[in-house]
Structure formats: structure tokens, C-alpha cells
Amino acid sequence: MSHQQALSPDNRQTPLVTFIVTTYNLPLPLLKQCLASILALSLQPSEREIIVVDDGSDSPVASSLGSQLNAVTYIWQPNQGLSAARNAGISLAHGTYIQFVDGDDYLLKPAYEHCLELLRQHTPDMVMFEYTHHAQVHQQPTDDFYPSGTAYMRQHNIHATACGYLFRRKTMGALRFTPGIFHEDEEFTPLLLLSVDSLIHTSAAAYFYRVRNNSITQDKNPEVHQKRLTDFMSVISRLQSVADRIPSTDKLALQRRISQLSMDYIYNTMVLTRSASSVEACVEQLRSEGLFPLPSIRYTRNYRLFRLLSNSHMGRLLLTHLLPNNK
């Protein structure tokens, strides 16, 4: 079964932004709040395109959206996961820029309006912003300009969430999300940044990220934990494969991200399994790919400290037993 709401004549023009909203068995009030936050922006109907991808909800939500349905393109597809849902939205997108929004989150208007103003004034390939778990009072943000995504990635540990930025659709090329995996953003975002020729990072907290107890990221099932770890390693391996065949400047940027992910992989293995043997197996996987010991580069204080402790067997044992569940 599939359903697509026809675009209005105005939306046949090239919109400034395509919002790709994904949903799967979400409480209807959350999805409607998400859509309302997009519709409340200063964008004219001709400047926006909203694509709602319903990834196999038990009860398709189209008939429950009321007047909001008139403002969106709605499709339902059999459940295939977040990557496939976003890819389906990409295939329908016409906007100059794309913004991903998870259907249980929403945009914070004052801060997001600032991001739109940056798009209009400077036309960068990407505007990267902050997210928050709190509906904050808008404060005057600071904006930093970078000549490329590579330049940004060389200097910063990125927040990989694909909902954390607006990006020019053409910069994506053939890049898509890998279906069927966790941590799809950890692969997509650094690869996208390699193609970005101009980037603005703003401190504006423009995206409200909702933590729900029954979300995929909160799942306590050991089998889910194992898949998360397996997928994490597969993402690291694919990024390393890309790094091995790109120019040295790009490689330095991507290698920083790979080193950060390698540290995260060890950390997550420690806190999800609390198993010394699992941690040693994780280290050997990284070692086989030339990624362990972690590179001796002064990225951040946390990185340097973790690298020092994780380099020895006794340090790894200590970390496995003492680390809290959240960094």
C-alpha cells in the first residue's frame, strides 16, 4: 500500500528547503507538533516542501493529519528502517536544500529562522546548528564560517546526526543512507562533509531532540546491543576504506572522525557489554584494520585520556568496570 498527496501548484516551483519527516508508529500528537513547527516558519508555501515518509506504521497516519495533509507529500511504505525512509524522501525531494526531521522531534522557530537567514544571505552548502532537549529561550547565536566541510571536520569532533544541519541537495550526489543498519548518520554525515564547499556553524539551538523510553536508541535487548556494535564496526571499516583512496587533506579530516568513532566503539562495547572478553575482541578488530592503538594526536582532552587508559589491558579492565553509561 502506498499513498502520495499531490503537490499543490505553488510547490511545483523549486522550493528553498525540502523537509523530509520520517515516522513509524509515532503518537499522532508528536507528529502533528513536528509538522506544525515546520509550517510555523516564515517560509512561503512555494519556498518549502514537506515530505512525510511513513515507514510502515500499523495504521497509516494520512487520514489523521487533517488540514496538515494539504501541505505535505505523504507516502507510506512497508517498514524498512530509517535509512530506507530517508532515501525514499530524498528520491522525491526538489528543494535547493534538504532538512531531515524525525517525526517525534520538532524545530525551534527563532533559532531555525536564524539558520534560514544564513541560507538566504550567504548561500552556503551547509548550515550546521545545535540541538537541545529543552525548549530554550532564543539567545543571540554566534556563527563561524568554514571554506569546506573538510576544513570543519579537521578542526572539530562533529555531531553526526543528520537532523543537525541543512545541506544543499546537489552536494549529496549519489550518496545515500546504508539501509538496515544502526549508526547510519555516522557514515552519511562525514561522507557528505567531504563534498561540502562552504559551511556555516551556528550555536543556535534550532532542533528539539526528544528522548523517548521506547525509542530504538533506548532498547536494552542484548541482541540489539550486539547489532549496534556490529553495525558500528562496519561503518568504521567503510569510512576507513574511503579514507584510503581520497586526497591527503580530505584523509586527515576523515581520519579524525574515524579515530573518534574507534574510541566510541571501544567505549560503547565497554558500557553495553561490561565484558572484558568482548572489549578485547573489539580491540583486535580495530587492530586488524590498523586503527588500534588509537592515533597519538591531541584531538581533545577526553580523547587523550581515553587513549592513554585504553592502550593497556589493565586500563581497559578499569574502564570496563568504572565507566558510567553515558559519556
Side-chain angles (χ1 to χ4, degrees), residues 12 47 55 75 116 135 154 166 174 207 237 245-246 269-270 276 288 306 314 325:
R12 293 192 188 114
E47 294 182 296
D55 188 44
I75 62 170
L116 293 175
R154 278 203 310 270
L166 284 144
Y207 188 95
S237 295
R245 59 178 189 267
I246 58 178
T269 301
M270 289 172 172
S288 70
F306 189 89
M314 287 303 298
N325 287 332

Side-chain angles (χ1 to χ4, degrees), residues 28 31-32 35 52 61-70 72 74:
L28 183 62
L31 178 59
K32 295 186 79 168
L35 295 177
V52 177
V61 299
S63 61
S64 303
L65 290 178
S67 61
Q68 289 181 335
L69 185 61
N70 297 324
V72 309
Y74 173 89

Side-chain angles (χ1 to χ4, degrees), residues 23-25 54-58 76-82 84-85 216:
T23 182
Y24 171 66
N25 284 344
D54 188 339
D55 188 44
S57 293
D58 296 336
W76 184 99
Q77 64 182 23
N79 180 246
Q80 301 171 60
L82 180 59
I216 260 181

Side-chain angles (χ1 to χ4, degrees), residues 57-238:
S57 293
D58 296 336
S59 299
V61 299
S63 61
S64 303
L65 290 178
S67 61
Q68 289 181 335
L69 185 61
N70 297 324
V72 309
T73 298
Y74 173 89
I75 62 170
W76 184 99
Q77 64 182 23
N79 180 246
Q80 301 171 60
L82 180 59
S83 290
R86 286 178 175 166
N87 289 343
I90 290 169
S91 70
L92 296 173
H94 299 91
T96 302
Y97 291 89
I98 285 179
Q99 171 72 63
F100 296 110
V101 188
D102 292 343
D104 50 351
D105 300 333
Y106 59 90
L107 304 179
L108 294 167
K109 183 176 180 179
Y112 200 85
E113 292 286 1
H114 179 71
C115 298
L116 293 175
E117 189 60 28
L118 291 174
L119 284 192
R120 294 183 175 110
Q121 285 189 4
H122 304 286
T123 63
D125 282 350
M126 179 180 286
V127 173
M128 186 174 285
F129 46 80
E130 298 298 319
Y131 64 87
T132 179
H133 302 304
H134 308 283
Q136 298 175 327
V137 175
H138 180 59
Q139 297 179 342
Q140 186 62 37
T142 57
D143 307 319
D144 297 306
F145 294 73
Y146 297 86
S148 67
T150 296
Y152 181 81
M153 197 160 41
R154 278 203 310 270
Q155 299 175 44
H156 300 278
N157 290 341
I158 63 173
H159 296 304
T161 173
C163 296
Y165 47 81
L166 284 144
F167 68 97
R168 190 180 299 273
R169 180 166 55 94
K170 289 183 178 179
T171 63
M172 183 172 47
L175 177 64
R176 296 294 183 272
F177 293 91
T178 299
I181 66 167
F182 293 115
H183 308 293
E184 60 281 322
D185 293 5
E186 298 288 5
E187 181 176 18
F188 181 88
T189 297
L191 294 181
L192 178 63
L193 282 167
L194 292 177
S195 300
V196 167
D197 288 334
S198 56
L199 181 149
I200 304 173
H201 177 271
T202 176
S203 64
Y207 188 95
F208 181 88
Y209 174 73
R210 193 188 307 272
V211 178
R212 296 191 301 127
N213 291 332
N214 60 343
S215 70
I216 260 181
T217 57
Q218 301 297 308
D219 200 313
K220 305 300 183 185
N221 186 324
E223 292 182 2
V224 173
H225 286 176
Q226 187 54 56
K227 177 167 172 51
R228 292 183 69 85
L229 293 173
T230 300
D231 289 349
F232 209 123
M233 186 64 217
S234 70
V235 166
I236 294 171
S237 295
R238 288 195 293 274

